[in-house]
Amino acid sequence: MLVAALALTGCAATNYGDEQLKLRVATAGKDIMWMPSKIDIVHKMLDAAQVQPSDIVYDLGSGDGIIPIEAAKKYGARAVGIEYNADLVALSQRNAQRAGLQEGRVSFKQGDVFVEDFSEATVVTLYMGESINARLMPKLLKMRPGTRVVSNTFRIESWIPDQELKSASGDVAFLWTVPAPIEGRWDFSGIPDARAVTLQISQKKQFFNADIDFDGKRVARIDDGVIAGTQMSFEFTHANKRYSLRGQVQGSRFSGRLNDDPRLPVSGVLRL
Ligand SMILES: C[S@@+](CC[C@H](N)C(=O)[O-])C[C@H]1O[C@@H](n2cnc3c(N)ncnc32)[C@H](O)[C@@H]1O
């Protein structure tokens, strides 16, 4: 990790912090040491997550506060940093004041990311290392569907990113969108050619496969269904006809249209 820190910053001797707290890269943290994200990759990450003033951005392991401060200052979001090191929390608060941000627009909480609640976030940012990301993954996947997760440098285990980002200075980051849980049996109505259409969905994060029955008879299998946040889309062929469905999942309900035709609305209900 130290090697990674030195390589990432390219300058281990650089001093950070302020008059009250002199910081050096690789200052010890709880589960991972402190290393600062560079500003250009921070902007790439927040741009890719399409952060808006309506968003609530949580940076897990927020260090000197750079990500929450930028999220609030440049994108107008409400932002929260969770940081274990109390000295870094105090430094972040001073940095936020120096950036002219109102208390409430950005805040910092001393705590452990494995204990603190961040479920209200609509965007989660990370620069925490692979094993920490892997430990956080189950909690991240249970967040509200559509929540964006962006990680500087490190992937999240087997979760395939939606986007890979690269900054001008060569840093990389990854973006994911929390998928709605859709595993189970769905009953669809509105699809012509059958009274009852059933999908038995098996979900792997933002991807799914499914067996499709028309009136109780297996007619097709989907191997490349996608659930991007709350948007579900899949295609299949039956009797030489192409069916393409796209729509929104809300809880256990789907509403969308067939073949992008507004005259062909389709609805679905998750039964099991
Ligand atoms: C690599 S630094 C990233 C800092 C900041 N997010 C950034 O991008 O510049 C990781 C930070 O996580 C903090 N940290 C490590 N383990 C933590 C934990 N379990 N809970 C909260 N913070 C933690 C460290 O103190 C350090 O400040």
Side-chain angles (χ1 to χ4, degrees):
M1 206 58 209
L2 180 59
V3 173
L6 304 188
L8 277 168
T9 62
C11 180
T14 307
N15 283 311
Y16 292 85
D18 62 6
E19 287 305 310
Q20 281 167 266
L21 182 69
K22 298 281 176 221
L23 264 180
R24 264 171 193 273
V25 169
T27 295
K30 180 177 174 280
D31 293 299
I32 185 170
M33 64 187 68
W34 175 74
M35 296 179 279
S37 287
K38 290 188 206 129
I39 194 87
D40 60 349
I41 195 71
V42 171
H43 291 160
K44 279 258 171 209
M45 290 163 70
L46 299 174
D47 281 346
Q50 298 183 21
V51 174
Q52 308 283 323
S54 54
D55 277 314
I56 307 172
V57 177
Y58 268 69
D59 185 33
L60 306 186
S62 49
D64 65 359
I66 182 171
I67 295 179
I69 288 170
E70 285 304 303
K73 199 172 72 178
K74 185 162 188 272
Y75 300 81
R78 181 158 82 76
V80 182
I82 300 176
E83 169 57 52
Y84 196 79
N85 179 328
D87 291 336
L88 286 173
V89 171
L91 171 64
S92 304
Q93 284 159 345
R94 294 195 295 277
N95 284 343
Q97 266 186 2
R98 279 189 278 265
L101 290 164
Q102 303 280 339
E103 175 91 22
R105 206 68 230 154
V106 65
S107 58
F108 295 94
K109 181 163 195 195
Q110 191 280 322
D112 187 330
V113 298
F114 293 105
V115 176
E116 298 299 327
D117 177 25
F118 52 89
S119 56
E120 68 164 345
T122 58
V123 175
V124 174
T125 57
L126 302 161
Y127 186 22
M128 289 293 262
E130 261 165 30
S131 65
I132 300 172
N133 284 2
R135 279 171 67 198
L136 286 168
M137 184 173 73
K139 206 164 172 184
L140 293 169
L141 280 166
K142 286 204 184 85
M143 294 189 74
R144 208 182 349 227
T147 302
R148 287 86 78 206
V149 178
V150 210
S151 172
N152 186 351
T153 306
F154 302 103
R155 292 173 181 267
I156 306 179
E157 219 192 37
S158 57
W159 191 0
I160 295 169
D162 300 335
Q163 269 187 60
E164 300 195 7
L165 318 167
K166 197 166 188 176
S167 73
S169 55
D171 289 344
V172 294
F174 304 93
L175 169 80
W176 299 261
T177 308
V178 174
I182 54 164
E183 177 137 327
R185 199 196 88 195
W186 285 81
D187 291 339
F188 281 89
S189 51
I191 299 179
D193 313 318
R195 279 194 313 280
V197 173
T198 303
L199 254 75
Q200 186 67 45
I201 289 184
S202 164
Q203 182 175 8
K204 289 192 182 79
K205 303 188 180 70
Q206 70 268 47
F207 305 111
F208 66 90
N209 53 45
D211 290 318
I212 304 183
D213 292 357
F214 275 23
D215 296 323
K217 190 164 168 265
R218 180 74 28 94
V219 296
R221 178 166 173 85
I222 303 161
D223 287 313
D224 52 4
V226 174
I227 175 82
T230 56
Q231 178 157 305
M232 179 161 146
S233 52
F234 59 93
E235 295 183 354
F236 61 96
T237 304
H238 169 52
N240 292 324
K241 256 174 111 172
R242 194 80 188 136
Y243 296 80
S244 158
L245 267 109
R246 187 186 306 274
Q248 293 294 322
V249 172
Q250 262 199 327
S252 59
R253 307 229 156 226
F254 168 91
S255 78
R257 49 176 72 158
L258 183 64
N259 299 337
D260 278 328
D261 187 338
R263 293 164 306 169
L264 296 173
V266 174
S267 59
V269 182
L270 178 60
R271 299 285 181 203
L272 305 169

